[in-house]
Amino acid sequence: GNTTDYKAGPFEQYVHMIEMSAAGGLSEEFDRIDELNRRIAAGDSPYGQQAPVVLHVVKPEYPLPLDPDLYLGRIDSGTLIAMGYADARAYLKRRTEQGVGFLPEVTQMKSSAPGISFRETMDGWFALGETDPEAGAKQGKAAGTELAMHASINIRDLDAFIANPGHQGEIIGIVDFPPLGTGIPATHGVFNLFSPAGEPDTKYMVYELGFEHGGEDYYLAGRKVVRDDPGLDMLKDTTTLFTVLHRGTDKSGEIVGAGVLTLGIEQLARLVPTMKATNAASTADAAKTLYKFGRFFLGELWSTYGRLAGDD
């Protein structure tokens, strides 16, 4: 990590020392290569190069989760690899032949405000050749074909997320669909919440992942329809993802498959320990952040569970 944040506490201080050491070591290598380029430009080529070395830096937009998040199951190795894959694809797509300068600033990342992160796996019956999710689920069940989406969600700034009408966060993930392959990392994605026009008691929870298979682009677009009705029927809404598969890099492409993914009891139990407040200043602030997200998203369902738990 390389940000302007400097946090208190022994663990954070330990992490800062590691990060400064690593970033400092990399900056030292930049200086050595920059000096080599100056020698090459002057006609000296100690290692045989005739052209200067070009620097390209692949980095995350925000610092990666720390080791305890991996050890505690808040993130897994597959998700970290998928994050690196997406970051590399994004950089290679926009890179220039000139590369970037040999400066410490090229490793700098953005700082996060208090936010939320969680992981969830949704799977279900899915079929190619269908355009309607429910019809695709029936055909997929008959054929025995399932699709799984392993998604990691990051909301970097919860207050901004709530204030923005589009309520957009970040998503990275992996797709398992045997007809195309398993362990396919996403190249890009969309996660957001919004209420359709004229339906204030309804929220759409959107999960979309773009990926590549066999040299062809695909775009998996899923949507949960969450209605703020009295009672606990919202639980089914928040665990059912109506999904279609497009050919191409976005939803404008031809639909080539469809199905219904669900978040089962086992997956729900795995989700809970992964949900955490990020970049909170204290344990109390982390609890407030989680509570604020629950109130905003779950609405009546949160209130109902709160009453059952004795929350006033």
Side-chain angles (χ1 to χ4, degrees):
N2 182 4
T3 73
T4 56
D5 289 342
Y6 198 74
K7 300 177 183 177
F11 176 72
E12 294 291 353
Q13 295 293 301
Y14 171 69
V15 170
H16 287 319
M17 285 190 289
I18 295 175
E19 290 172 334
M20 287 189 292
S21 176
L26 183 58
S27 295
E28 185 180 2
E29 292 183 11
F30 289 172
D31 290 341
R32 292 172 62 188
I33 299 172
D34 195 28
E35 171 62 24
L36 175 62
N37 282 347
R38 285 194 289 270
R39 293 176 65 181
I40 293 172
D44 181 14
S45 182
Y47 304 109
Q49 294 103 323
Q50 300 302 311
V53 177
V54 176
L55 176 65
H56 295 283
V57 177
V58 175
K59 65 176 182 180
E61 188 176 12
Y62 294 87
L64 295 174
L66 298 176
D67 291 352
D69 291 320
L70 180 64
Y71 298 146
L72 295 173
R74 293 169 177 163
I75 196 165
D76 60 3
S77 299
T79 301
L80 287 168
I81 292 169
M83 291 168 67
Y85 179 80
D87 288 334
R89 287 291 299 263
Y91 177 78
L92 293 173
K93 187 175 181 179
R94 67 175 184 270
R95 76 185 176 102
T96 65
E97 293 302 318
Q98 293 75 31
V100 297
F102 291 88
L103 301 169
E105 288 80 5
V106 299
T107 66
Q108 190 165 339
M109 303 166 194
K110 294 181 180 178
S111 299
S112 297
I116 294 288
S117 71
F118 60 91
R119 288 188 297 116
E120 60 181 302
T121 292
M122 294 165 282
D123 57 19
W125 304 114
F126 198 95
L128 294 173
E130 286 289 348
T131 59
D132 176 73
E134 293 184 338
K138 290 180 181 178
Q139 183 176 325
K141 185 175 183 179
T145 55
E146 292 185 84
L147 184 146
M149 174 193 287
H150 309 276
S152 179
I153 312 298
N154 275 303
I155 299 170
R156 300 289 183 180
D157 184 335
L158 183 59
D159 287 339
F161 176 84
I162 292 173
N164 188 319
H167 308 306
Q168 187 161 333
E170 300 173 12
I171 183 172
I172 191 67
I174 298 169
V175 176
D176 292 330
F177 185 47
L180 297 181
T182 58
I184 306 172
T187 57
H188 60 290
V190 171
F191 170 82
N192 68 343
L193 299 171
F194 66 93
S195 294
E199 299 182 54
D201 293 332
T202 299
K203 286 188 178 75
Y204 291 159
M205 193 172 185
V206 174
Y207 297 73
E208 298 177 0
L209 291 175
F211 63 94
E212 185 182 281
H213 171 71
E216 191 165 2
D217 290 314
Y218 292 92
Y219 197 77
L220 189 67
R223 185 173 69 180
K224 297 178 181 179
V225 182
V226 185
R227 293 184 173 87
D228 195 3
D229 299 323
L232 298 181
D233 59 324
M234 278 183 63
L235 182 60
K236 182 178 180 181
D237 294 348
T238 59
T239 56
T240 303
L241 189 73
F242 299 96
T243 311
V244 294
L245 180 66
H246 298 263
R247 196 185 306 276
T249 58
D250 56 38
K251 289 189 293 187
S252 66
E254 170 196 9
I255 297 177
V256 296
V260 178
L261 310 186
T262 59
L263 184 70
I265 297 299
E266 182 179 348
Q267 291 91 341
L268 185 60
R270 291 176 181 172
L271 181 154
V272 172
T274 73
M275 182 171 285
K276 67 163 187 167
T278 57
N279 212 43
S282 65
T283 302
D285 287 340
K288 289 178 182 177
T289 302
L290 285 169
Y291 187 79
K292 184 184 294 185
F293 176 73
R295 281 286 189 188
F296 165 73
F297 170 61
L298 295 177
E300 182 63 30
L301 180 61
W302 182 274
S303 299
T304 299
Y305 277 136
R307 288 195 298 271
L308 292 175
D311 172 24
D312 295 327

